[in-house]
Amino acid sequence: MASDLNSRDLNQTYKVAGDMFATLFKEIGKVVVGQNNTVEQIIIAILCNGHALVESNPGLGKTLTISTISKSMDLNFSRIQCTPDLMPADITGTNIIEESDGHKHFKFEPGPVFANIVLADEINRASPKTQSALLEAMQEKQITVGNDTFLLEQPFFILATQNPIEMEGTFPLPEAQLDRFLLKILMEYPRYEDEIEIVNRYTRSVMPTVGKVINKNTLLDLQRLTRDMPVADDIKNRAIKIVMSTRIKNEFIEYGASPRASIGLILAAKARALIQGRNFVSNDDINAMAYPILRHRLILTFESERKGVTTDQVIRNILEKIK
């Protein structure tokens, strides 16, 4: 799909995209009950060709949600259970000795990172050495083993999960690695009505399944359309002012967000507009995406922690000031 579509074709494509996403959400809803914001934000990260960090208490369906989205998009999926003894080669792969016709030679055996969607489950349980093995894959979409470099198949996403209530035996992600995640998504407990449906759906003999709605080529086209989404100058300027205001030290913020946050906020807002079938970015898109874009990029002061002020509260205050 060409990037220089004329206005008429562009509007028609956005309209079809809206219907396509409605079908996608309906199909995912056959397996995942509720969690509409979480599902939408994961898909936004994928449309932006970015990575996402999903945080929630245990048992809320992080792994199920991510695997279901991969199936609905016909993407290759792999899961890495992060543990303290996990080694970098367990993720990237390694060279093995293979014998053929009496001769021995090295052969590269790919690791689980060679997939379209890689779920790094409980990433904060992996050691810093292993976490760093993901950095090259996340930033360069490639991995290096010995003297050889291997490109990863596109599209490629790392969706990592972490449990905020278990801190013993964990290795908190460094700020440099956190900044490489486009979004930090918080998954909440389900509502009463949703939990009734969860119990009803998952205590039957037949488990729910999901069908394929979008293929890889369509997804790559949608990624290009996301970047083609027009955004007005006043919307763009407001987004940049929001990010820059985090760099003004005050009683709540010690360190603010980098320009990577400005890029991410505009891109994520474009993706949200595309998902909702619109051909323009609104202030509502900026407001909605400011939370997952900024919450892992701000370092709060000790005074904030002492007063129990959360990152989301600080972001809310910024959004209220910058209209």
Side-chain angles (χ1 to χ4, degrees):
M1 193 171 293
S3 60
D4 57 348
L5 294 168
N6 61 45
S7 179
R8 185 174 179 181
D9 291 339
L10 197 60
N11 289 333
Q12 180 61 27
T13 305
Y14 287 144
K15 183 178 179 181
V16 173
D19 295 337
M20 187 185 304
F21 285 117
T23 304
L24 179 65
F25 283 116
K26 184 177 179 180
E27 195 66 28
I28 293 171
K30 293 179 180 179
V31 176
V32 180
V33 181
Q35 303 296 352
N36 295 333
N37 287 337
T38 299
V39 172
E40 180 183 75
Q41 289 174 18
I42 291 174
I43 293 175
I44 284 172
I46 292 173
L47 288 176
C48 296
N49 201 22
H51 312 287
L53 178 64
V54 184
E55 183 175 283
S56 80
N57 294 336
L60 297 190
K62 297 186 293 293
T63 303
L64 176 66
T65 300
I66 294 170
S67 64
T68 300
I69 290 173
S70 69
K71 291 174 184 175
S72 67
M73 291 184 170
D74 195 23
L75 299 175
N76 296 328
F77 173 78
S78 68
R79 178 176 179 269
I80 302 169
Q81 181 60 54
C82 296
T83 58
D85 60 349
L86 189 72
M87 298 299 292
D90 298 327
I91 295 175
T92 60
T94 186
N95 289 314
I96 61 173
I97 298 177
E98 191 175 70
E99 186 170 351
S100 177
D101 298 329
H103 298 284
K104 295 181 180 180
H105 61 275
F106 285 105
K107 176 187 175 184
F108 178 68
E109 188 68 25
V113 76
F114 285 86
N116 298 124
I117 290 185
V118 179
L119 170 60
D121 217 353
E122 296 188 286
I123 189 173
N124 55 334
R125 288 199 172 279
S127 67
K129 184 177 182 179
T130 303
Q131 289 175 9
S132 66
L134 292 172
L135 284 178
E136 183 182 14
M138 292 172 67
Q139 188 68 25
E140 307 296 337
K141 306 295 176 74
Q142 67 182 30
I143 62 103
T144 302
V145 177
N147 295 324
D148 298 319
T149 298
F150 302 90
L151 296 177
L152 298 170
E153 181 186 357
Q154 298 300 312
F156 171 76
F157 315 98
I158 288 180
L159 300 176
T161 71
Q162 66 179 13
N163 178 352
I165 64 174
E166 291 183 2
M167 301 306 296
E168 187 174 348
T170 63
F171 303 88
L173 295 174
E175 281 69 26
Q177 187 165 342
L178 279 173
D179 197 37
R180 283 173 169 80
F181 286 100
L182 177 69
L183 305 178
K184 180 179 180 180
I185 302 167
L186 301 183
M187 184 178 279
E188 305 291 344
Y189 281 111
R191 300 176 303 169
Y192 174 76
E193 297 82 3
D194 290 337
E195 191 146 352
I196 290 178
E197 177 60 27
I198 291 171
V199 171
N200 291 337
R201 191 178 296 185
Y202 286 94
T203 54
R204 298 171 183 163
S205 58
V206 179
M207 293 291 103
T209 57
V210 65
K212 298 173 184 177
V213 179
I214 297 175
N215 59 34
K216 294 180 186 178
N217 290 333
T218 302
L219 177 57
L220 292 173
D221 287 340
L222 289 170
Q223 287 180 341
R224 286 193 285 270
L225 281 173
T226 297
R227 291 182 175 270
D228 286 339
M229 174 73 70
V231 53
D233 287 342
D234 59 327
I235 302 291
K236 188 184 300 182
N237 292 337
R238 178 171 179 265
I240 294 173
K241 287 178 182 177
I242 289 170
V243 174
M244 293 190 69
S245 67
T246 68
R247 301 170 196 164
I248 302 173
K249 291 189 177 183
N250 54 43
E251 61 175 322
F252 299 121
I253 301 176
E254 185 72 29
Y255 295 101
S258 71
R260 192 178 278 147
S262 299
I263 296 170
L265 183 52
I266 296 296
L267 270 179
K270 288 183 174 187
R272 186 175 186 267
L274 179 64
I275 285 176
Q276 297 186 359
R278 287 182 280 109
N279 60 356
F280 62 92
V281 175
S282 69
N283 272 320
D284 287 341
D285 297 321
I286 298 295
N287 292 341
M289 300 315 303
Y291 294 95
I293 286 288
L294 294 174
R295 62 167 57 109
H296 58 300
R297 292 184 164 97
L298 302 186
I299 299 178
L300 301 187
T301 62
F302 173 76
E303 187 67 16
S304 297
E305 297 180 7
R306 188 182 70 83
K307 291 183 176 180
V309 177
T310 66
T311 307
D312 279 16
Q313 289 173 330
V314 173
I315 297 170
R316 187 180 301 112
N317 290 337
I318 292 172
L319 293 176
E320 290 174 352
K321 291 178 181 177
I322 302 178
K323 299 294 186 182

Short mmCIF file of all heavy atoms in Angstrom, two decimals, residues 88-126:
data_model
loop_
_atom_site.label_atom_id
_atom_site.label_comp_id
_atom_site.label_asym_id
_atom_site.label_seq_id
_atom_site.Cartn_x
_atom_site.Cartn_y
_atom_site.Cartn_z
N PRO A 88 21.57 -15.52 28.31
CA PRO A 88 21.30 -14.84 27.04
C PRO A 88 21.11 -15.80 25.87
O PRO A 88 20.25 -15.58 25.01
CB PRO A 88 22.53 -13.96 26.84
CG PRO A 88 23.00 -13.67 28.23
CD PRO A 88 22.73 -14.92 29.01
N ALA A 89 21.91 -16.87 25.82
CA ALA A 89 21.79 -17.84 24.73
C ALA A 89 20.45 -18.55 24.73
O ALA A 89 19.99 -19.04 23.69
CB ALA A 89 22.92 -18.86 24.81
N ASP A 90 19.81 -18.62 25.91
CA ASP A 90 18.48 -19.24 25.97
C ASP A 90 17.44 -18.40 25.25
O ASP A 90 16.36 -18.90 24.91
CB ASP A 90 18.05 -19.42 27.44
CG ASP A 90 18.97 -20.35 28.21
OD1 ASP A 90 19.50 -21.30 27.59
OD2 ASP A 90 19.15 -20.14 29.43
N ILE A 91 17.75 -17.13 25.02
CA ILE A 91 16.84 -16.23 24.33
C ILE A 91 17.22 -16.09 22.85
O ILE A 91 16.38 -16.22 21.96
CB ILE A 91 16.84 -14.85 25.00
CG1 ILE A 91 16.28 -14.94 26.42
CG2 ILE A 91 16.05 -13.83 24.18
CD1 ILE A 91 16.37 -13.65 27.20
N THR A 92 18.50 -15.81 22.60
CA THR A 92 18.93 -15.50 21.24
C THR A 92 19.17 -16.75 20.40
O THR A 92 19.00 -16.73 19.18
CB THR A 92 20.22 -14.69 21.27
OG1 THR A 92 21.25 -15.45 21.93
CG2 THR A 92 20.02 -13.37 22.02
N GLY A 93 19.58 -17.84 21.05
CA GLY A 93 19.99 -19.03 20.33
C GLY A 93 21.50 -19.19 20.42
O GLY A 93 22.21 -18.32 20.94
N THR A 94 22.01 -20.29 19.90
CA THR A 94 23.44 -20.56 20.04
C THR A 94 23.93 -21.42 18.89
O THR A 94 23.13 -22.04 18.16
CB THR A 94 23.72 -21.29 21.37
OG1 THR A 94 25.13 -21.42 21.57
CG2 THR A 94 23.08 -22.68 21.39
N ASN A 95 25.24 -21.43 18.71
CA ASN A 95 25.86 -22.30 17.69
C ASN A 95 26.06 -23.69 18.26
O ASN A 95 26.57 -23.85 19.37
CB ASN A 95 27.20 -21.73 17.24
CG ASN A 95 27.06 -20.49 16.39
OD1 ASN A 95 26.24 -20.45 15.48
ND2 ASN A 95 27.85 -19.46 16.68
N ILE A 96 25.63 -24.70 17.52
CA ILE A 96 25.82 -26.09 17.94
C ILE A 96 26.69 -26.80 16.91
O ILE A 96 26.78 -26.38 15.75
CB ILE A 96 24.47 -26.83 18.09
CG1 ILE A 96 23.72 -26.85 16.74
CG2 ILE A 96 23.61 -26.18 19.16
CD1 ILE A 96 22.46 -27.70 16.78
N ILE A 97 27.38 -27.85 17.35
CA ILE A 97 28.23 -28.63 16.45
C ILE A 97 27.39 -29.70 15.78
O ILE A 97 26.70 -30.48 16.44
CB ILE A 97 29.41 -29.25 17.22
CG1 ILE A 97 30.27 -28.15 17.83
CG2 ILE A 97 30.24 -30.13 16.29
CD1 ILE A 97 31.42 -28.68 18.68
N GLU A 98 27.44 -29.73 14.45
CA GLU A 98 26.69 -30.71 13.68
C GLU A 98 27.65 -31.50 12.80
O GLU A 98 28.56 -30.93 12.20
CB GLU A 98 25.64 -30.00 12.82
CG GLU A 98 24.62 -30.92 12.19
CD GLU A 98 23.54 -30.14 11.45
OE1 GLU A 98 23.88 -29.56 10.40
OE2 GLU A 98 22.39 -30.11 11.93
N GLU A 99 27.43 -32.80 12.72
CA GLU A 99 28.32 -33.65 11.94
C GLU A 99 27.60 -34.11 10.69
O GLU A 99 26.45 -34.57 10.74
CB GLU A 99 28.76 -34.86 12.76
CG GLU A 99 29.81 -35.70 12.07
CD GLU A 99 30.42 -36.76 12.98
OE1 GLU A 99 30.15 -36.70 14.20
OE2 GLU A 99 31.15 -37.61 12.48
N SER A 100 28.27 -33.98 9.53
CA SER A 100 27.70 -34.39 8.25
C SER A 100 28.81 -34.91 7.36
O SER A 100 29.82 -34.22 7.14
CB SER A 100 26.99 -33.20 7.58
OG SER A 100 26.50 -33.56 6.32
N ASP A 101 28.65 -36.14 6.84
CA ASP A 101 29.65 -36.79 5.98
C ASP A 101 31.02 -36.80 6.63
O ASP A 101 32.05 -36.59 5.97
CB ASP A 101 29.73 -36.07 4.62
CG ASP A 101 28.42 -36.13 3.85
OD1 ASP A 101 27.70 -37.15 4.02
OD2 ASP A 101 28.12 -35.18 3.12
N GLY A 102 31.05 -37.06 7.91
CA GLY A 102 32.31 -37.16 8.63
C GLY A 102 32.95 -35.84 8.96
O GLY A 102 34.05 -35.81 9.53
N HIS A 103 32.29 -34.75 8.62
CA HIS A 103 32.84 -33.43 8.91
C HIS A 103 31.96 -32.73 9.95
O HIS A 103 30.74 -32.83 9.92
CB HIS A 103 32.92 -32.57 7.64
CG HIS A 103 33.82 -33.14 6.59
ND1 HIS A 103 35.20 -33.08 6.65
CD2 HIS A 103 33.52 -33.81 5.45
CE1 HIS A 103 35.72 -33.67 5.60
NE2 HIS A 103 34.72 -34.13 4.84
N LYS A 104 32.62 -32.02 10.84
CA LYS A 104 31.90 -31.27 11.87
C LYS A 104 31.90 -29.79 11.53
O LYS A 104 32.91 -29.25 11.07
CB LYS A 104 32.55 -31.48 13.24
CG LYS A 104 32.47 -32.91 13.75
CD LYS A 104 33.11 -33.05 15.13
CE LYS A 104 33.01 -34.50 15.63
NZ LYS A 104 33.64 -34.65 16.97
N HIS A 105 30.76 -29.17 11.73
CA HIS A 105 30.67 -27.73 11.48
C HIS A 105 29.66 -27.12 12.45
O HIS A 105 28.82 -27.83 13.02
CB HIS A 105 30.27 -27.43 10.04
CG HIS A 105 28.94 -27.99 9.67
ND1 HIS A 105 28.76 -29.29 9.23
CD2 HIS A 105 27.70 -27.42 9.67
CE1 HIS A 105 27.49 -29.50 8.99
NE2 HIS A 105 26.82 -28.38 9.25
N PHE A 106 29.76 -25.81 12.61
CA PHE A 106 28.84 -25.11 13.50
C PHE A 106 27.55 -24.76 12.75
O PHE A 106 27.58 -24.35 11.59
CB PHE A 106 29.48 -23.82 14.04
CG PHE A 106 30.50 -24.06 15.11
CD1 PHE A 106 31.85 -23.95 14.83
CD2 PHE A 106 30.11 -24.41 16.39
CE1 PHE A 106 32.79 -24.17 15.82
CE2 PHE A 106 31.04 -24.63 17.39
CZ PHE A 106 32.39 -24.51 17.10
N LYS A 107 26.46 -24.93 13.44
CA LYS A 107 25.15 -24.56 12.90
C LYS A 107 24.42 -23.72 13.94
O LYS A 107 24.39 -24.08 15.12
CB LYS A 107 24.33 -25.80 12.55
CG LYS A 107 22.92 -25.48 12.06
CD LYS A 107 22.09 -26.75 11.90
CE LYS A 107 20.66 -26.41 11.52
NZ LYS A 107 19.81 -27.63 11.45
N PHE A 108 23.84 -22.60 13.50
CA PHE A 108 23.11 -21.74 14.43
C PHE A 108 21.72 -22.29 14.69
O PHE A 108 20.96 -22.56 13.77
CB PHE A 108 23.02 -20.32 13.88
CG PHE A 108 22.24 -19.39 14.79
CD1 PHE A 108 22.74 -19.02 16.03
CD2 PHE A 108 20.99 -18.90 14.40
CE1 PHE A 108 22.02 -18.17 16.86
CE2 PHE A 108 20.27 -18.05 15.22
CZ PHE A 108 20.78 -17.70 16.46
N GLU A 109 21.41 -22.47 15.96
CA GLU A 109 20.09 -22.93 16.38
C GLU A 109 19.34 -21.73 16.96
O GLU A 109 19.66 -21.24 18.03
CB GLU A 109 20.22 -24.03 17.43
CG GLU A 109 18.91 -24.71 17.81
CD GLU A 109 18.31 -25.54 16.68
OE1 GLU A 109 19.09 -25.99 15.81
OE2 GLU A 109 17.08 -25.70 16.67
N PRO A 110 18.33 -21.20 16.23
CA PRO A 110 17.64 -19.98 16.69
C PRO A 110 16.94 -20.19 18.03
O PRO A 110 16.40 -21.27 18.31
CB PRO A 110 16.63 -19.70 15.57
CG PRO A 110 17.11 -20.47 14.39
CD PRO A 110 17.80 -21.68 14.95
N GLY A 111 16.92 -19.13 18.83
CA GLY A 111 16.22 -19.16 20.10
C GLY A 111 14.80 -18.63 19.96
O GLY A 111 14.35 -18.28 18.87
N PRO A 112 14.08 -18.55 21.05
CA PRO A 112 12.67 -18.12 21.01
C PRO A 112 12.47 -16.67 20.59
O PRO A 112 11.34 -16.27 20.32
CB PRO A 112 12.19 -18.36 22.44
CG PRO A 112 13.42 -18.35 23.28
CD PRO A 112 14.50 -18.92 22.42
N VAL A 113 13.54 -15.87 20.52
CA VAL A 113 13.39 -14.47 20.10
C VAL A 113 13.05 -14.39 18.61
O VAL A 113 12.57 -13.36 18.13
CB VAL A 113 14.67 -13.67 20.41
CG1 VAL A 113 15.77 -13.98 19.41
CG2 VAL A 113 14.38 -12.17 20.45
N PHE A 114 13.24 -15.49 17.88
CA PHE A 114 12.93 -15.51 16.45
C PHE A 114 11.44 -15.83 16.26
O PHE A 114 11.05 -16.95 15.91
CB PHE A 114 13.81 -16.53 15.72
CG PHE A 114 15.23 -16.06 15.53
CD1 PHE A 114 16.17 -16.26 16.52
CD2 PHE A 114 15.62 -15.38 14.38
CE1 PHE A 114 17.47 -15.82 16.37
CE2 PHE A 114 16.92 -14.93 14.22
CZ PHE A 114 17.85 -15.16 15.22
N ALA A 115 10.62 -14.85 16.52
CA ALA A 115 9.17 -14.95 16.35
C ALA A 115 8.65 -13.55 16.10
O ALA A 115 9.38 -12.56 16.23
CB ALA A 115 8.52 -15.56 17.58
N ASN A 116 7.39 -13.43 15.69
CA ASN A 116 6.80 -12.11 15.47
C ASN A 116 6.46 -11.42 16.78
O ASN A 116 6.72 -10.24 16.97
CB ASN A 116 5.55 -12.22 14.60
CG ASN A 116 5.84 -12.76 13.22
OD1 ASN A 116 5.25 -13.75 12.81
ND2 ASN A 116 6.73 -12.13 12.48
N ILE A 117 5.85 -12.17 17.70
CA ILE A 117 5.54 -11.65 19.03
C ILE A 117 6.26 -12.52 20.06
O ILE A 117 6.05 -13.73 20.12
CB ILE A 117 4.03 -11.64 19.32
CG1 ILE A 117 3.33 -10.59 18.45
CG2 ILE A 117 3.75 -11.36 20.78
CD1 ILE A 117 1.86 -10.42 18.74
N VAL A 118 7.12 -11.90 20.84
CA VAL A 118 7.86 -12.60 21.89
C VAL A 118 7.34 -12.13 23.24
O VAL A 118 7.42 -10.94 23.56
CB VAL A 118 9.37 -12.35 21.78
CG1 VAL A 118 10.11 -13.08 22.89
CG2 VAL A 118 9.89 -12.79 20.42
N LEU A 119 6.80 -13.05 24.01
CA LEU A 119 6.32 -12.73 25.35
C LEU A 119 7.43 -13.03 26.34
O LEU A 119 7.81 -14.19 26.53
CB LEU A 119 5.07 -13.54 25.69
CG LEU A 119 4.60 -13.50 27.14
CD1 LEU A 119 4.26 -12.06 27.55
CD2 LEU A 119 3.41 -14.42 27.36
N ALA A 120 7.98 -11.99 26.95
CA ALA A 120 8.99 -12.16 28.00
C ALA A 120 8.25 -12.10 29.34
O ALA A 120 8.03 -11.02 29.89
CB ALA A 120 10.05 -11.08 27.91
N ASP A 121 7.86 -13.26 29.83
CA ASP A 121 7.01 -13.33 31.02
C ASP A 121 7.85 -13.09 32.27
O ASP A 121 8.90 -13.71 32.46
CB ASP A 121 6.35 -14.70 31.09
CG ASP A 121 4.93 -14.63 31.63
OD1 ASP A 121 4.53 -13.54 32.07
OD2 ASP A 121 4.24 -15.66 31.63
N GLU A 122 7.37 -12.17 33.11
CA GLU A 122 8.06 -11.79 34.35
C GLU A 122 9.51 -11.40 34.05
O GLU A 122 10.46 -11.93 34.62
CB GLU A 122 7.99 -12.92 35.37
CG GLU A 122 6.58 -13.23 35.84
CD GLU A 122 6.55 -14.22 36.99
OE1 GLU A 122 6.80 -15.42 36.73
OE2 GLU A 122 6.28 -13.81 38.13
N ILE A 123 9.65 -10.41 33.19
CA ILE A 123 10.97 -10.00 32.71
C ILE A 123 11.87 -9.53 33.85
O ILE A 123 13.09 -9.67 33.80
CB ILE A 123 10.84 -8.91 31.63
CG1 ILE A 123 12.20 -8.63 30.97
CG2 ILE A 123 10.24 -7.63 32.21
CD1 ILE A 123 12.13 -7.71 29.78
N ASN A 124 11.27 -9.00 34.93
CA ASN A 124 12.10 -8.51 36.04
C ASN A 124 12.68 -9.64 36.88
O ASN A 124 13.41 -9.39 37.84
CB ASN A 124 11.30 -7.54 36.92
CG ASN A 124 9.99 -8.14 37.43
OD1 ASN A 124 9.42 -9.03 36.81
ND2 ASN A 124 9.52 -7.64 38.56
N ARG A 125 12.39 -10.90 36.55
CA ARG A 125 13.02 -12.03 37.23
C ARG A 125 14.31 -12.45 36.53
O ARG A 125 15.10 -13.22 37.09
CB ARG A 125 12.07 -13.22 37.30
CG ARG A 125 10.93 -13.02 38.29
CD ARG A 125 10.29 -14.33 38.70
NE ARG A 125 9.35 -14.10 39.77
CZ ARG A 125 9.66 -13.97 41.05
NH1 ARG A 125 10.93 -14.05 41.41
NH2 ARG A 125 8.74 -13.77 41.96
N ALA A 126 14.53 -11.97 35.31
CA ALA A 126 15.76 -12.30 34.59
C ALA A 126 16.90 -11.41 35.09
O ALA A 126 16.68 -10.26 35.50
CB ALA A 126 15.57 -12.11 33.09
#
